[in-house]
Amino acid sequence: MSFDITATAKRAAAVKHQIAGITSAQRQALLLLIAQNLLDNVPQILAANQKDMANAEAAKISSAMLDRLKLDEHAIHNIAEAVKQIAFQPEFLGSISNMQPQASGIQVGKMRIPLGVVAMIYESRPNVTIDAAALCLKSGNAVILRGGKEAQHSNQALASILKQSLHEMSLSSDIVTVIPLADRDVMATMLTLSHTIDLVIPRGGEGLINYVTEHSRIPVIQHFKGVCHLFVDKAADINKALAILENGKTQRTGVCNALETLLVHTDVADEFLPKVAKMFESKRVVVHACEQSIGYFKAALQANEDDWHAEYLALEIAVRVVKNEEQAFEHIREYGSGHTEVIVTEDFSLAQRFVKEIDSSVVMVNASSRFSDGGELGLGAEIGISTSKLHAYGPMGAESLTTQKFVVFGDGTVRK
């Protein structure tokens, strides 16, 4: 099977004005139609996903990948609900901000506009197909989606719903393209199409991110791994800390907002770590422990340098006892990936320091890292979590897929 990505990108660029030019009410109607069409086609989506799951299980892919790949009726309802949330978010396209008169007599402001054509490259999760498409449509962008081969049947079933919805709204189907194969040559060519594609967002394993970053001639927003830390301070409420740790590490392991390293202040290690050991044993969590913490666990492995860098995406965690908050902060600065960091403390001043000094895209006080998610943070969904600061940082919603242009108003005004 062959696929002409160059022609596809040209067609997307040629029709991007359609989605940018429709009204807010029309964009909302399109998104609500997508949500309804998802609900109306649950059996077809599940049948396609079952093919992908069977192939993935036969290929013996990891449990984390299987978890990301699997859809059920509840998951599809959640995807549709996310699309509805995006549909009802306030309109921002075309808004003009900071209009200011200048001494010359002109008035200058900035208008929010779409980026143009967004290319999304991702692995495993079929829900990303809908989330990314909905966010791009809300922000007035055309989108080209390239999913992984393991989700090929699911993605094509979802693509047909997107195409159907565009057709029912009398819009070009070229506004959204889901590439029907996961060919590396197609992706390599796509990364050279800087004249027709405006932004590339890779979302997946570190190998994929590195490949896209190294080979793209198009601006890239990176979504690197989530090495998320929980620091339990000496002033922590131990019960809160235990609940946040259990939720962050064991609720769902194969996601980028799961906890990967636990840092514990030495003053509370004797009280806290035995409770942790008991919980980890019941949950069958594999522990990689430092010299100061290994004695608290029955079957812990000795942690090494690689463990501080590790994104396990499994029932596995690194544990370190730190002598004070300064050592905890230093550890996070050295090993954090810019994703999400959490402190548990009742010391308000320390919490404020953590929020100000930890330079991660999401910082949390007394809350689970599992809230580091576009839907939970009020974005409806996310197209990714940017761990680089240009031009977005952290979970990216629809507004992050726009930019601003200057608009100038005069009255026959000329420069003197």
Side-chain angles (χ1 to χ4, degrees):
M1 182 182 184
S2 61
F3 182 81
D4 190 340
I5 183 60
T6 302
T8 297
K10 285 182 179 178
R11 290 195 300 271
V15 299
K16 64 185 180 182
H17 67 279
Q18 287 190 16
I19 189 62
I22 63 176
T23 67
S24 173
Q26 288 172 316
R27 265 192 299 277
Q28 183 180 87
L30 171 61
L31 291 168
L32 294 176
L33 183 59
I34 291 171
Q36 188 58 52
N37 285 338
L38 283 168
L39 298 176
D40 291 343
N41 288 275
V42 169
Q44 294 91 322
I45 299 169
L46 293 181
N49 184 247
Q50 286 166 8
K51 292 179 183 178
D52 288 329
M53 290 295 294
N55 291 338
E57 289 167 358
K60 297 181 180 180
I61 71 169
S62 69
S63 58
M65 291 284 278
L66 285 173
D67 178 58
R68 295 179 178 192
L69 177 60
K70 182 177 175 58
L71 292 176
D72 55 25
E73 188 168 347
H74 179 68
I76 296 171
H77 278 263
N78 285 344
I79 294 169
E81 184 58 35
V83 176
K84 291 179 184 177
Q85 289 181 26
I86 294 167
F88 287 114
Q89 286 177 351
E91 181 60 59
F92 47 82
L93 282 180
S95 62
I96 299 177
S97 61
N98 200 32
M99 182 66 75
Q100 296 289 333
Q102 304 298 312
S104 62
I106 61 173
Q107 293 193 70
V108 180
K110 299 188 80 173
M111 176 183 286
R112 191 154 294 279
I113 60 171
L115 295 174
V117 178
V118 176
M120 178 82 180
I121 303 170
Y122 53 104
E123 296 172 343
S124 192
R125 295 181 183 177
N127 67 290
V128 175
T129 301
I130 297 296
D131 287 351
L135 289 166
C136 285
L137 295 173
K138 174 69 175 180
S139 53
N141 294 291
V143 61
I144 299 171
L145 300 162
R146 190 271 194 186
K149 64 181 180 180
E150 65 281 349
Q152 195 165 326
H153 292 96
S154 304
N155 287 338
Q156 288 308 306
L158 296 171
S160 67
I161 290 169
L162 293 167
K163 299 284 189 184
Q164 174 191 344
S165 303
L166 287 165
H167 176 74
E168 291 179 24
M169 290 292 295
S170 299
L171 293 167
S172 172
S173 62
D174 290 324
I175 291 171
V176 177
T177 297
V178 180
I179 298 174
L181 70 167
D183 186 280
R184 178 60 69 94
D185 290 338
V186 171
M187 179 170 68
T189 300
M190 183 169 69
L191 295 176
T192 69
L193 303 178
S194 57
H195 294 297
T196 48
I197 297 174
D198 299 282
L199 179 71
V200 175
I201 304 175
R203 180 173 173 178
E206 195 169 3
L208 172 67
I209 310 298
N210 287 333
Y211 177 87
V212 172
T213 303
E214 291 168 9
H215 291 85
S216 181
R217 298 180 190 173
I218 306 164
V220 176
I221 289 183
Q222 300 163 347
H223 175 147
F224 276 119
K225 62 185 180 180
V227 182
C228 304
H229 296 79
L230 169 62
F231 170 42
V232 179
D233 175 47
K234 66 181 179 181
D237 181 310
I238 297 302
N239 291 329
K240 290 179 185 177
L242 192 64
I244 288 169
L245 174 62
E246 181 176 0
N247 185 248
K249 179 69 262 183
T250 71
Q251 184 194 51
R252 193 174 178 194
T253 58
V255 290
C256 59
N257 61 19
L259 291 172
E260 304 294 9
T261 298
L262 170 65
L263 304 174
V264 180
H265 196 293
T266 186
D267 288 2
V268 293
D270 285 343
E271 179 184 3
F272 184 57
L273 285 178
K275 298 177 186 291
V276 172
K278 183 177 180 181
M279 185 268 287
F280 279 170
E281 185 177 9
S282 70
K283 299 287 186 176
R284 299 183 179 181
V285 177
V286 176
V287 176
H288 301 258
C290 70
E291 290 183 4
Q292 289 77 24
S293 61
I294 197 166
Y296 293 95
F297 302 94
K298 289 182 180 179
L301 304 169
Q302 179 71 53
N304 57 38
E305 183 71 11
D306 290 341
D307 290 306
W308 308 132
H309 291 282
E311 183 185 35
Y312 297 110
L313 298 176
L315 284 171
E316 202 162 355
I317 194 168
V319 178
R320 182 184 180 187
V321 171
V322 293
K323 61 184 179 182
N324 52 36
E325 60 269 18
E326 300 300 335
Q327 190 174 44
F329 284 26
E330 288 171 9
H331 182 104
I332 293 170
R333 291 190 189 106
E334 181 171 357
Y335 299 106
S337 61
H339 194 294
T340 300
E341 311 298 353
V342 183
I343 187 172
V344 178
T345 185
E346 299 300 305
D347 182 337
F348 180 77
S349 296
L350 181 61
Q352 291 298 304
R353 275 194 59 205
F354 185 84
V355 168
K356 291 178 182 178
E357 296 181 23
I358 296 302
D359 192 20
S360 186
S361 69
V362 181
V363 289
M364 299 186 171
V365 178
N366 297 332
S368 171
S369 64
R370 294 283 290 118
F371 287 111
S372 185
D373 169 88
E376 296 292 341
L377 297 179
L379 304 179
E382 68 194 31
I383 201 164
I385 296 179
S386 172
T387 52
S388 53
K389 295 180 180 177
L390 297 175
H391 73 191
Y393 198 31
M396 293 176 59
E399 192 168 354
S400 294
L401 294 171
T402 63
T403 186
Q404 289 180 301
K405 66 181 179 184
F406 281 95
V407 292
V408 178
F409 293 90
D411 185 20
T413 312
V414 297
R415 184 171 176 175
K416 297 177 182 180

